[in-house]
Amino acid sequence: MRLLVPPGVFRPLSDTWMLADVLRVATLPPRASVLDLCSGSGALAVAAARRGAREVTAVDISRRAVLAVRLNARANRVRVRALRGDLFAPVGRLRFDLIVSNPPYVPGEREGVPSAGPERHWDAGADGRALLDRIVDQAPEHLRGGGSLMLVHSSICGIDATLERMRAAGLEPGVVVRRRGPLGPLMSARVHTLERRGLLGAGQREEEVAVLRGRAP
Ligand SMILES: C[S@@+](CC[C@H](N)C(=O)[O-])C[C@H]1O[C@@H](n2cnc3c(N)ncnc32)[C@H](O)[C@@H]1O
């Protein structure tokens, strides 16, 4: 994949590629429609289009990210509809066969999510769940029957919490892949805050990153 990441746009990290790898081997229905939420440069949207999805939509709150998605779709000779807005707002009542997301999930220094600046790419409230919970809660209204939500995130913000939230939202939860390793660069930069909040044990410098799936009935 050719990927251009202009200044001010999130540069994909290992968690992006972990979800992209899952997408590469995922079984998609014929004429599948895919939504990439919090798309950044569009790495996942382009991966879905290359995998053969018929219609791919990417949503990001950043204007620069939306432009990057359009550039990257063109560079890879695939079609992606890139929209700017807050999570599901730009897609109205549309439903999809697959929703993928690598959203901001790093516990922030403060309550709430930043409205601008680079931290908006990764900060997600005091527990890191501000966007994850909204995505899981709203996903069922945007999935076709049998469709799936696939999310990637760290154990620091609670893998079991996401699985439980999926169940409560009426999705059948599951772990597609999980990998233990050293803290990524964004979590590493926050170790003192994470320890203070009890999200990281004293001296703990590892996390698990997992791709989780919630399947609609
Ligand atoms: C961690 S980055 C991931 C980008 C891309 N999915 C990837 O894996 O490379 C999260 C992205 O979410 C976007 N974002 C933050 N808040 C958002 C919101 N409320 N609605 C849509 N996008 C949002 C940011 O602009 C950023 O591009």
Side-chain angles (χ1 to χ4, degrees):
M1 180 190 305
R2 297 187 61 202
L3 204 69
L4 308 160
V5 186
V9 177
F10 181 85
R11 180 169 292 280
L13 292 172
S14 55
D15 51 359
T16 309
W17 302 121
M18 196 169 162
L19 183 46
D21 284 346
V22 168
L23 254 179
R24 214 164 286 132
V25 293
T27 309
L28 295 177
R31 306 175 59 84
S33 65
V34 177
L35 172 63
D36 176 10
L37 271 188
C38 302
S39 62
S41 60
L44 296 171
V46 170
R50 284 163 55 105
R51 176 71 187 80
R54 165 101 173 149
E55 282 175 20
V56 181
T57 304
V59 171
D60 201 285
I61 203 151
S62 146
R63 206 169 262 123
R64 285 173 190 234
V66 170
L67 293 175
V69 174
R70 292 182 184 144
L71 265 178
N72 284 316
R74 194 168 312 155
N76 287 277
R77 300 172 189 278
V78 293
R79 286 170 57 116
V80 176
R81 192 165 70 121
L83 304 174
R84 177 170 177 254
D86 179 26
L87 297 188
F88 291 99
V91 300
R93 299 161 68 93
L94 285 181
R95 290 183 182 261
F96 301 85
D97 297 299
L98 178 63
I99 301 171
V100 292
S101 187
N102 175 19
Y105 61 75
V106 177
E109 303 283 2
R110 290 168 221 91
E111 287 289 339
V113 291
S115 54
E119 291 79 13
R120 189 168 62 171
H121 298 321
W122 53 78
D123 267 21
D127 60 1
R129 300 198 54 87
L131 284 101
L132 281 170
D133 286 345
R134 288 179 57 206
I135 293 172
V136 172
D137 293 350
Q138 292 173 38
E141 291 159 38
H142 295 281
L143 283 172
R144 293 187 176 149
S148 291
L149 166 66
M150 278 195 199
L151 287 170
V152 64
H153 71 79
S154 162
S155 52
I156 303 293
C157 49
I159 289 174
D160 287 345
T162 301
L163 295 173
E164 193 42 55
R165 193 115 190 164
M166 284 177 170
R167 195 171 291 114
L171 301 174
E172 183 193 326
V175 178
V176 181
V177 53
R178 59 203 302 167
R179 204 172 290 151
R180 177 164 287 282
L183 290 178
L186 300 173
M187 291 292 184
S188 292
R190 291 272 161 87
V191 285
H192 299 302
T193 307
L194 299 175
E195 283 182 349
R196 203 174 55 245
R197 297 221 182 102
L199 296 170
L200 200 62
Q204 182 194 335
R205 295 294 179 265
E206 286 200 330
E207 65 182 330
E208 225 173 23
V209 175
V211 175
L212 308 181
R213 176 166 53 205
R215 204 191 301 266

